[in-house]
Amino acid sequence: MITIEDLQKEKYYRKYLQKKNITPETLKSYNIALVHFCNANNKRFDEIIDEVKEEQYPYIDEKGRIHEYDPNFGKIDDYIYSVVTYLTERNNSNSSIEININRLRAVLNALSIKLPKKIEFPKDDDEWNVLTTDEIKYVLNISYLHHQAAIVFMAHTGIRLKDVTSFKIQDFMKATEKYHHCTEIDEFLEKAPQDMMGFWEFIPHKTKKHNILCKVPNSPESSNLLLNSLRQRKKSIERYNKKYGTNLKLEKTDALFSSRTNKFKGPIQPASLTVECFRKNKDLVRERTRVLKQKLENGEISKETFHQLIEETPKFHAHGLRKFFITTLARKRVHLRASALMEGHKPYMEQDRSYVDEDELEELIFSEYENIIPALSFEKDEIDFTITKRNKELELENYELKQQTELLRKENIEIRDNIDRQVEDKIDEVLAKYGF
């Protein structure tokens, strides 16, 4: 298996880096695409490039005729198709495969490799199916507070997962400072009011190279969940200190989103939230299927409609929450300039003098955002996907019992090891006494 470390030793890889000025985040994604390229063909990167470069020059046949190289019938076409097969066998979606191939082509093009025509990938069945408010509400109902805070924040701002997991608590304090004017975290957690509407202004990781700003508010609903989550984190850390005699403290430089695994101090990793979304997606699909089956049995929908609705089930994942936000902006006909800035895309009408003034621009964004809050909200209305309060309590109790069981298991192992050591010491003592 070729690894990223192997790839970094290749001469053509280093040549590519010299030619292109790309961000570390983009380079990571390109590295993955290139590793897939090498492993799909079971060859080193330099070996592949040398082969296709040698083949791409014109040649003269035995009759003296000159033939131009056609990459559509060359080795490079076979090598690229091998990646498609490789990723398909690993259950990657068409969308994911297309992204990998496009990244691969970008690198090959920079190395002056003549490329075949692009492969036309069929759209995945759920490619354009957008999560509904009810579906997100169901996931919230079966999630813990810390995950609820992250889900609502992403759905109400459209901010990408990489950026969300990079935010610090002090970023939230700054975004809402007009409501509290606090500089220290303890004061903030004590005095910050409910229903704050934050304003986030930053350059996303994905558009850092182009210096494109994202300017987006967050809803009072998401602020309330964030605040409650931080207060619970502080209490959890205090309980941990009391139990284990540590001196941990929640600080404003800590990550805005953390987890029990990191003792609520270290940042939650994007991969951890991705896995959590995957688990919740399975729960959502299961519950949606149950509800639709019930409607089918009750004669509320036809069999044809049942199968159609099952096929249209959207996936619950972090980017799906961003898609929910952007779709809401479009459906509510948000001002194009404000919409682009809230999405973190290149603004429309950059030279429009009506909106050059920053104060007017922020006022426009707030005004447009306030108009869509009812469409974003998860707080009102009943939904088909229900879960009782007792079920949530039982889920929490079950989790805590698992934690206690694991702790007892570790303690039992330590006790057993200690007894074994004492027995061995006693045996050694007796043997030494009798000269053995």
Side-chain angles (χ1 to χ4, degrees), residues 400-431:
E400 290 176 346
L401 284 171
K402 284 182 178 178
Q403 294 289 97
Q404 292 174 11
T405 301
E406 180 62 19
L407 184 61
L408 287 171
R409 187 186 69 81
K410 289 179 179 178
E411 289 178 352
N412 284 337
I413 291 173
E414 290 178 4
I415 291 171
R416 189 168 61 248
D417 290 344
N418 189 39
I419 291 172
D420 289 342
R421 282 195 299 272
Q422 290 182 21
V423 169
E424 288 175 3
D425 290 345
K426 201 67 178 174
I427 291 172
D428 290 342
E429 183 183 331
V430 171
L431 291 174

Side-chain angles (χ1 to χ4, degrees), residues 183-199:
T183 57
E184 302 306 320
I185 186 169
D186 289 339
E187 182 186 19
F188 170 70
L189 294 180
E190 181 183 346
K191 296 182 179 180
Q194 292 288 292
D195 300 328
M196 297 184 294
M197 191 167 164
F199 187 73

Side-chain angles (χ1 to χ4, degrees), residues 144-155:
Y144 295 114
L145 176 59
H146 305 295
H147 290 139
Q148 287 178 349
I151 290 168
V152 173
F153 184 77
M154 286 190 283

Side-chain angles (χ1 to χ4, degrees), residues 95 123-133 135-136 281 284-285 288 292 305-328 331:
S95 175
K123 293 296 181 184
D124 295 313
D125 292 337
D126 62 346
E127 181 66 17
W128 297 109
N129 293 330
V130 181
L131 287 161
T132 66
T133 302
E135 287 161 342
I136 298 174
N281 181 65
L284 176 62
V285 171
R288 179 184 172 94
L292 291 175
T305 302
F306 169 80
H307 289 298
Q308 179 187 344
L309 292 173
I310 289 294
E311 289 177 0
E312 292 175 355
T313 301
K315 288 183 179 178
F316 185 86
H317 51 75
H319 197 71
L321 296 171
R322 175 171 167 80
K323 189 184 291 186
F324 167 80
F325 176 74
I326 292 176
T327 303
T328 303
R331 286 173 177 167

Side-chain angles (χ1 to χ4, degrees), residues 7 24 34 57-58 63 75 103 113 133 139 143 153 159 162 165 180 264 272 331 336 379:
L7 184 67
L34 292 175
Y57 301 109
K63 294 182 179 180
K75 288 183 179 180
R103 288 169 179 164
I113 302 298
T133 302
V139 172
S143 299
F153 184 77
I159 297 176
K162 177 70 175 177
T165 53
H180 56 80
F264 292 116
S272 297
R331 286 173 177 167
L336 287 178
E379 292 183 321

Side-chain angles (χ1 to χ4, degrees), residues 199-202 213-216 337 341 347 350 352-366:
F199 187 73
W200 301 75
E201 186 172 356
F202 65 101
L213 269 173
C214 176
K215 299 178 181 234
V216 63
R337 182 175 174 82
L341 287 167
E350 286 187 281
D352 186 348
R353 295 185 180 182
S354 302
Y355 299 108
V356 169
D357 188 279
E358 286 298 313
D359 292 333
E360 289 185 21
L361 183 58
E362 188 170 325
E363 186 178 331
L364 170 70
I365 292 171
F366 266 111

